[in-house]
Amino acid sequence: MREQAQDRTLIIACGALAREIGSIIGRNGLSHLSLRCLPATLHNTPEKIPEAVRDAVRAARGNYGRVVVGYADCGTGGLLDKVCVEEGVERIPGPHCYAFFSGNKAFEAAGDDDMTSFYLTDFLVRQFETLVIRTLGLDRHPELRDMYFGNYEKVVYLAQTRNAELDRAAELAAEKLGLAYERRQVGLGDLAQFVNEVN
Amino acid sequence: MADEDEDIVLSELDDAELVQQMHDDLYDGLKEEIEEAVNILLERGWAPYDILTQALVEGMRIVGIDFRDGILFVPEVLLSANAMKAGMFILRPLLVETGAPKVGKMVIGTVKGDIHDIGKNLVGMMMEGAGFEVVDLGINNPVENYLDALEEHKPEILGMSALLTTTMPYMKVVVDTLKEKGIRDDYIVMVGGAPLNEEFADAVGADAYCRDAAVTVEMAKELIARRHNQRASGG
């Protein structure tokens, strides 16, 4: 059993990527990969992400030959990278999921052009009410809209899939925030390559 | 806190009760009640500076503590900030007229490429409440904006804010430019924003990392005092 475990790799990922990473593993028959997700709500307190990842990495040691991290920097200001170096694990490159879904190079090249864009992904469209509206208190206090979104101009939906229901929901989200709407079909971007190359 | 307050008539409270009630109303983000209470205290002859410090700043200090302790969350803090802002709006011109004490001056702005200003605005408001003159440069500031403002306003403190991992390195661009121009040590540089940390602040060459608005105020006072002492002793 132990030898078999050593042949396996664990991806410790943000819950917001569960569906996407799971689909890459399934579609490409990457049976040597296992996935463990941490709650996506950790994004509300990014300072807690590095230690949560460290705990998960340490808990996985002995059960897997290799562990990789399915998080971008995700607002940790370099602290997640520090943990990755200390624990000897690799993470998907990029500042956040919007960047690697768009392709990190393309995202960087866009520079300040997208500065006033509020990004949604498939996951965020699905969880918009819970993670955006309720977390920001806009359901209870719509008057806070300008404080949060006054400097934004548009919602950019970075679509992983082609799904008319999600498209409509994303458009409604933009409407709810009083912002213009743009849809970009980006697919899985750099995430697919990262997962496919994990051995 | 709000339930038991429904029947309270602010004008019937004595001064101490009213100030206590203002702390509660700030906590609950009740903007109109704060405006009413500020006006009542003014009518009773309170100095604007005393209303600011004893009622508003003290109330927000309590909000800040509960935010830090995880009792209050961002939406509640923003409502409190809105209420304080409404009170400040009434007091600001009066503070100027009455020559309230000034602790120092701060130029503050969100760095280039970043449009996030909630934290910056909170810091600006709390600094103003603590007696600092605050020059707010707004969002998306290239280094030139900071340089021009430093030249024009001659503050003791430069504050920079960033919310994004991708924009926070720009703080180093600003600090390095100050160094190149030989004016870095003319200012206390304070940095803050969600993804920042102490280590980052050290790495970019800032004087202080400001975890939240309350910490910023305390650090700003301390750093200003330290600078005065150094100058006084010729150090």
Side-chain angles (χ1 to χ4, degrees), chain A residues 46-47 73-79 82 95-96 107 112 115-117 134-138 140-141 143-144 147-148 151-153, chain B residues 73-76 78-79 81-82 85 111-118 139-140 163-168 194-197 199-200:
Chain A
E47 70 279 7
D73 176 78
C74 295
T76 66
L79 292 183
K82 202 176 163 200
H96 38 65
F107 194 86
D112 293 348
M115 184 170 57
T116 55
S117 299
R134 272 180 238 155
T135 299
L136 297 181
L138 289 168
R140 307 177 303 280
H141 302 290
E143 71 272 22
L144 294 179
M147 288 179 92
Y148 288 121
N151 294 329
Y152 282 100
E153 289 174 354
Chain B
F73 296 94
V74 171
E76 289 78 28
L78 292 185
L79 289 168
N82 254 346
K85 198 172 159 190
V111 298
K112 182 175 176 292
D114 204 320
I115 60 163
H116 300 94
D117 60 2
I118 289 177
I139 56 173
N140 186 27
L163 184 80
L164 304 173
T165 303
T166 46
T167 56
M168 63 189 216
L196 274 70
N197 51 58
E199 211 170 291
F200 175 82

Side-chain angles (χ1 to χ4, degrees), chain A residues 15-199:
Chain A
L17 303 173
R19 192 184 282 247
E20 287 72 22
I21 294 178
S23 82
I24 299 168
I25 291 174
R27 199 184 320 136
N28 299 328
L30 305 172
S31 56
H32 63 292
L33 298 182
S34 296
L35 175 63
R36 188 191 157 201
C37 287
L38 303 181
T41 47
L42 272 175
H43 277 288
N44 297 332
T45 49
E47 70 279 7
K48 292 182 180 164
I49 291 175
E51 289 312 309
V53 169
R54 190 199 299 277
D55 290 346
V57 169
R58 289 186 176 176
R61 288 240 164 84
N63 296 322
Y64 295 89
R66 188 179 174 211
V67 178
V68 298
V69 174
Y71 271 93
D73 176 78
C74 295
T76 66
L79 292 183
L80 180 58
D81 279 335
K82 202 176 163 200
V83 165
C84 287
V85 169
E86 286 165 2
E87 299 299 324
V89 294
E90 186 191 347
R91 75 161 172 86
I92 179 165
H96 38 65
C97 63
Y98 318 127
F100 65 65
F101 277 139
S102 303
N104 281 316
K105 278 185 187 159
F107 194 86
E108 203 182 330
D112 293 348
D113 292 350
D114 276 342
M115 184 170 57
T116 55
S117 299
F118 182 73
Y119 296 109
L120 293 178
T121 60
D122 284 10
F123 173 83
L124 277 173
V125 172
R126 286 195 181 92
Q127 301 296 327
F128 182 74
E129 285 298 321
T130 308
L131 291 183
V132 179
I133 297 296
R134 272 180 238 155
T135 299
L136 297 181
L138 289 168
D139 52 338
R140 307 177 303 280
H141 302 290
E143 71 272 22
L144 294 179
R145 183 266 172 207
D146 285 355
M147 288 179 92
Y148 288 121
F149 293 99
N151 294 329
Y152 282 100
E153 289 174 354
K154 64 180 171 183
V155 162
V156 173
Y157 170 31
L158 302 169
Q160 277 67 69
T161 54
R162 292 184 193 279
N163 179 324
E165 255 178 57
L166 288 183
D167 289 353
R168 182 66 194 135
E171 215 170 337
L172 282 173
E175 214 171 278
K176 200 160 192 172
L177 297 180
L179 299 172
Y181 175 68
E182 183 186 329
R183 182 188 188 282
R184 292 181 198 165
Q185 182 67 41
V186 296
L188 296 168
D190 296 346
L191 181 66
Q193 191 185 350
F194 178 78
V195 175
N196 280 321
E197 289 178 358
V198 171
N199 48 41

Side-chain angles (χ1 to χ4, degrees), chain B residues 16-170:
Chain B
E17 289 169 338
L18 183 54
V19 168
Q20 183 57 50
Q21 186 59 42
M22 288 174 78
H23 296 166
D24 289 352
D25 288 345
L26 263 177
Y27 196 94
D28 292 335
L30 302 177
K31 181 181 160 193
E32 280 154 20
E33 283 77 356
I34 288 297
E35 287 170 332
E36 187 186 341
V38 166
N39 284 322
I40 292 170
L41 287 177
L42 285 171
E43 279 164 22
R44 290 183 188 174
W46 274 55
Y49 182 72
D50 291 339
I51 302 173
L52 176 70
T53 51
Q54 293 176 39
L56 300 185
V57 172
E58 177 56 17
M60 279 305 281
R61 194 186 65 82
I62 298 164
V63 169
I65 291 168
D66 278 5
F67 176 62
R68 206 179 297 163
D69 292 346
I71 298 165
L72 288 179
F73 296 94
V74 171
E76 289 78 28
V77 173
L78 292 185
L79 289 168
S80 299
N82 254 346
M84 173 156 175
K85 198 172 159 190
M88 293 274 287
F89 185 75
I90 300 169
L91 294 177
R92 193 174 288 118
L94 305 172
L95 287 163
V96 175
E97 274 173 29
T98 51
K102 282 279 165 225
V103 183
K105 196 190 276 190
M106 177 189 219
V107 160
I108 188 170
T110 303
V111 298
K112 182 175 176 292
D114 204 320
I115 60 163
H116 300 94
D117 60 2
I118 289 177
K120 169 186 71 64
N121 293 345
L122 271 174
V123 167
M125 195 172 67
M126 289 301 282
M127 289 289 284
E128 199 180 342
F132 285 87
E133 185 181 342
V134 176
V135 180
D136 187 346
L137 304 181
I139 56 173
N140 186 27
N141 285 288
V143 63
E144 295 78 15
N145 289 10
Y146 291 109
L147 292 175
D148 291 349
L150 294 176
E151 173 68 27
E152 183 185 345
H153 300 287
K154 308 205 177 335
E156 289 88 358
I157 301 174
L158 168 63
M160 288 186 281
S161 169
L163 184 80
L164 304 173
T165 303
T166 46
T167 56
M168 63 189 216
Y170 195 78

